[in-house]
């Protein structure tokens, strides 16, 4: 993901001084900082860091803004639903804001000179994100707003637990917070799955009911058309019989009118 690659590139700049006085990369102490190899890799890593940290969120925001202006709402959701379908219309770019929040956490954890400083900055970012969701409610489904606030607050508690001076209590707090965060995520996914299955079943039942109603209507219409056609045939047969009778009467009257003339001859 974007945050994973951002961490990998930013760790290149996380240098610290060891007891011998040399500067090394904190995550890989075997790699020295500020030597010829480090400076040779610097332009390439800086380019990747810019791409992952700024290029991806900026590109996504640019594409969404352009497509928002040129596409209708259904077309935008159909093509870019993975990015904006979860959010309300005015917050279609919320995914970019989430990318920025993750980037801020990554930069704070990798660039901070001490873990306490990084944890404090992350706590500020997460508390701001939770307050924003509570105020703006950008998610389309209300329970997603609740889950976002709850996960943000639990993450905040985990970061605050890192600042605990007692090592035993710190481990207990951090592990408990991580377990609670994982349980909350699993519960949120389970609730979504259950509700989606229920909605799918309800939609299927409505479709079956609609099909049954249509079949019944077609059957009634067919019976009605059959009755009308039978009535039409009977009516046309009676008319032909009456026509034949009238023709026979006319011929008979003609014969009777000619009989006196034949006698006179």
């Amino acid at each position: 993901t974007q945050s994973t690659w951002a961490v990998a590139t930013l760790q290149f700049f996380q240098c610290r001084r060891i007891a011998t006085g040399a500067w090394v990369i904190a995550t890989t102490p075997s790699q020295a900082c500020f030597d010829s190899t480090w400076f040779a890799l610097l332009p390439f890593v800086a380019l990747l860091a810019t791409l992952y940290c700024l290029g991806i969120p900026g590109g996504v925001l640019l594409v969404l803004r352009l497509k928002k202006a040129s596409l209708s709402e259904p077309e935008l959701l159909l093509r870019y639903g993975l990015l904006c379908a979860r959010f309300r219309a005015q917050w279609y770019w919320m995914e970019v804001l989430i990318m920025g929040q993750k980037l801020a956490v990554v930069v704070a954890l990798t660039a901070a000179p001490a873990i306490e400083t990084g944890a404090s900055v992350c706590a500020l970012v997460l508390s701001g994100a939770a307050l924003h969701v509570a105020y703006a409610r950008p998610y389309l489904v209300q329970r997603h707003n609740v889950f976002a606030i709850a996960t943000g607050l639990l993450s905040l508690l985990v970061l605050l637990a890192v600042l605990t001076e007692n090592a035993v209590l710190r481990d207990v707090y951090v592990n408990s917070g991580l377990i609670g965060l994982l349980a909350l995520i699993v519960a949120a996914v389970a609730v979504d799955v259950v509700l989606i299955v229920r909605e799918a079943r309800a939609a299927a039942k409505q479709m079956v009911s609609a099909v049954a109603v249509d079949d019944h209507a077609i059957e009634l219409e067919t019976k009605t058309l059959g009755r009308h056609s039978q009535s039409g045939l009977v009516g046309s047969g009676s008319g032909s019989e009456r026509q034949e009778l009238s023709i026979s009467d006319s011929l008979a009257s003609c014969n009777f009118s000619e009989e006196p003339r034949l006698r006179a001859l």
Side-chain angles (χ1 to χ4, degrees):
T1 61
Q2 180 247 355
S3 58
T4 303
W5 286 106
V7 170
T9 54
L10 292 176
Q11 284 176 349
F12 180 81
F13 303 96
Q14 192 178 9
C15 297
R16 64 182 180 89
R17 195 170 186 174
I18 58 178
T20 60
W23 287 89
V24 297
I25 297 177
T27 54
T28 55
S30 60
Q31 177 64 49
C33 287
F34 313 126
D35 61 354
S36 59
T37 303
W38 191 88
F39 280 109
L41 293 174
L42 179 60
F44 178 69
V45 177
L47 178 62
L48 290 180
T50 304
L51 175 63
Y52 293 136
C53 296
L54 300 178
I56 293 177
V60 172
L61 179 60
L62 179 62
V63 170
L64 287 179
R65 286 182 65 87
L66 292 176
K67 297 303 180 181
K68 176 70 173 178
S70 61
L71 297 177
S72 62
E73 192 70 23
E75 290 176 337
L76 182 67
L77 294 177
L78 184 61
R79 296 186 182 184
Y80 301 96
L82 186 63
L83 295 173
C84 56
R86 297 178 298 161
F87 311 108
R88 294 191 295 167
Q90 62 268 35
W91 289 103
Y92 67 95
W93 53 279
M94 182 66 186
E95 191 65 38
V96 179
L97 185 58
I98 294 174
M99 290 182 184
Q101 295 169 0
K102 293 178 180 179
L103 177 62
V105 171
V106 168
V107 172
L109 292 177
T110 55
I115 186 64
E116 291 81 6
T117 305
S120 300
V121 174
C122 291
L124 290 176
V125 173
L126 291 175
S127 59
L131 289 175
H132 169 258
V133 174
Y135 174 76
R137 300 190 179 278
Y139 289 91
L140 193 62
V141 180
Q142 179 60 28
R143 66 176 181 275
H144 292 167
N145 292 310
V146 176
F147 288 144
I149 296 171
T151 52
L153 292 178
L154 276 177
S155 301
L156 177 61
L157 292 177
V158 171
L159 289 173
L160 292 177
V162 174
L163 303 178
T164 304
E165 296 181 357
N166 190 310
V168 177
L169 291 178
R170 180 172 61 245
D171 293 340
V172 172
Y173 293 157
V174 170
N175 292 330
S176 301
L178 291 176
I179 293 173
L181 186 60
L182 179 61
L184 180 61
I185 294 174
V186 172
V189 173
V191 170
D192 277 345
V193 170
V194 170
L195 293 178
I196 289 173
V197 170
R198 287 183 180 178
E199 291 174 359
R201 289 179 178 176
K205 289 181 179 179
Q206 291 180 356
M207 185 177 297
V208 171
S209 300
V211 171
V213 170
D214 290 341
D215 291 341
H216 183 65
I218 292 173
E219 184 179 358
L220 290 177
E221 186 176 358
T222 303
K223 291 181 178 179
T224 304
L225 290 175
R227 292 174 182 175
H228 289 172
S229 61
Q230 290 178 0
S231 301
L233 289 175
V234 172
S236 62
S238 301
S240 61
E241 291 176 358
R242 287 194 295 268
Q243 186 176 3
E244 291 178 358
L245 291 174
S246 62
I247 292 173
S248 300
D249 294 339
S250 299
L251 291 176
S253 63
C254 291
N255 290 333
F256 292 146
S257 61
E258 291 294 331
E259 185 177 359
R261 295 182 182 179
L262 292 175
R263 289 180 182 177
L265 292 175

